[in-house]
Amino acid sequence: MAVLLVVGFCSLVAVAAAGNLYQDFDVTWGDGRAKILNNAQLLTLSLDKTSGSGFQSKSEYLFGKIDMQIKLVPGNSAGTVTAYYLSSQGPTHDEIDFEFLGNLSGDPYTLHTNVFTQGKGNREMQFKLWFDPTKDFHTYSILWNPRHVIFMVDGTPIRDFKNLESRGIAFPKNQPMRIYSSLWNADDWATRGGLVKTDWSKAPFVASYRNFNADACVRGSSRCGSTKSGWWNQELDLTSQGKMRRVQKNYMIYNYCNDAKRFPQGLPPECSVA
């Protein structure tokens, strides 16, 4: 593990991709359904009719570049949700969400994203993944700095939530957040609005995790001092913006900013900002 100390503020910790998952995470629920295997290089969550399972990070982070490789539940995963997210606690919490909504065999997974600021969410964007996320591990990343929250899949940006505090829009910048992940049954809404139920004859359902990497500020101050390079200042260049636009054009299936019926009093203010 390489460690860079930022004097006066917080520690910037670069966790090696082959880090020990016991050192990074605690299994928090599931009564043995969550397992750390392969010399602490692999973590699995499982779901059966009795219970799902979950884990959380030992550390809390305030800004950083967070990567995790995940292989999702294969086969008929309808009704299941694999959630992977950053969150603080309390009624005014901040949260940055990846949620993977299972589907019938052969149908694409839905990737659901959301951003909560000061306890307010309702900023959902959903995508159909352009690959089979159950055949191999893929990297899901959150780049979070004082100006952006960027969601990435295998290094390709899919969403950029910008700091628009100057327009009166809250941005997650003061609350350290832990990483959480869980595998659970949500067949009342997850697949086709709840029309397709979980087939428990296919249980246990298993999702797998490896190669966690956090180049991030561990809980301390609300800023990272003199760290002004790398992810701290990163934003999307023209090439990356083009990649994100292509993903959104071809694979985005829901954007809250296009849902006027949901917001009869007017779309959220960030939706009017180009």
Side-chain angles (χ1 to χ4, degrees):
M1 179 180 294
V3 179
L4 174 62
L5 296 180
V6 181
V7 176
F9 297 107
C10 59
S11 297
L12 190 64
V13 181
V15 181
N20 184 319
L21 293 172
Y22 278 121
Q23 296 176 353
D24 298 317
F25 297 103
D26 289 319
V27 170
T28 48
W29 64 285
D31 194 23
R33 291 173 178 82
K35 296 180 172 65
I36 297 178
L37 307 167
N38 295 3
N39 197 29
Q41 301 302 299
L42 178 71
L43 191 157
T44 62
L45 296 182
S46 66
L47 163 69
D48 58 33
K49 198 167 186 177
T50 301
S51 178
S53 51
F55 65 86
Q56 70 181 42
S57 63
K58 295 180 184 290
S59 297
E60 293 177 279
Y61 305 98
L62 186 69
F63 304 128
K65 172 76 160 36
I66 310 284
D67 306 310
M68 180 73 88
Q69 290 192 335
I70 307 174
K71 183 162 66 172
L72 296 173
V73 174
N76 180 2
S77 58
T80 71
V81 173
T82 305
Y84 174 68
Y85 58 102
L86 287 162
S87 183
S88 58
Q89 298 297 309
T92 58
H93 76 291
D94 294 336
E95 188 172 322
I96 302 168
D97 289 345
F98 278 115
E99 289 188 290
F100 304 91
L101 313 184
N103 219 328
L104 294 169
S105 299
D107 288 348
Y109 257 81
T110 296
L111 170 55
H112 173 103
T113 68
N114 203 353
V115 177
F116 287 74
T117 57
Q118 298 296 310
K120 179 183 178 297
N122 298 325
R123 298 185 176 100
E124 298 91 347
M125 291 184 179
Q126 293 185 339
F127 305 81
K128 290 295 186 185
L129 290 174
W130 51 95
F131 53 86
D132 185 344
T134 74
K135 296 296 186 186
D136 203 352
F137 287 88
H138 292 266
T139 302
Y140 303 92
S141 305
I142 294 167
L143 190 150
W144 172 32
N145 64 30
R147 293 192 296 169
H148 298 269
V149 174
I150 301 173
F151 296 77
M152 292 181 282
V153 178
D154 288 335
T156 297
I158 63 171
R159 179 178 184 176
D160 183 2
F161 182 78
K162 299 177 181 178
N163 185 334
L164 298 171
E165 288 180 301
S166 62
R167 310 287 184 96
I169 300 162
F171 186 82
K173 68 172 189 178
N174 295 317
Q175 301 184 48
M177 295 194 266
R178 291 189 194 275
I179 299 164
Y180 297 88
S181 190
S182 58
L183 174 57
W184 51 289
N185 177 46
D187 66 3
D188 56 335
W189 65 271
T191 305
R192 297 182 186 173
L195 295 176
V196 182
K197 301 300 183 183
T198 303
D199 181 356
W200 293 112
S201 71
K202 306 298 185 184
F205 304 97
V206 178
S208 302
Y209 303 74
R210 72 179 188 191
N211 288 357
F212 169 70
N213 188 83
D215 186 356
C217 295
V218 176
R219 182 184 176 98
S221 175
S222 61
R223 50 189 286 207
C224 283
S226 59
T227 305
K228 301 299 182 188
S229 61
W231 58 264
W232 178 266
N233 288 316
Q234 189 171 340
E235 56 186 17
L236 299 181
D237 59 18
L238 290 176
T239 299
S240 296
Q241 291 176 35
K243 290 179 179 179
M244 183 176 71
R245 283 194 295 269
R246 285 193 291 274
V247 168
Q248 293 182 349
K249 177 182 177 181
N250 294 317
Y251 301 104
M252 187 161 63
I253 59 173
Y254 178 80
N255 182 351
Y256 74 108
C257 283
N258 296 333
D259 195 348
K261 290 183 179 179
R262 182 181 174 190
F263 301 101
Q265 305 305 314
L267 292 171
E270 65 267 23
C271 295
S272 64
V273 180

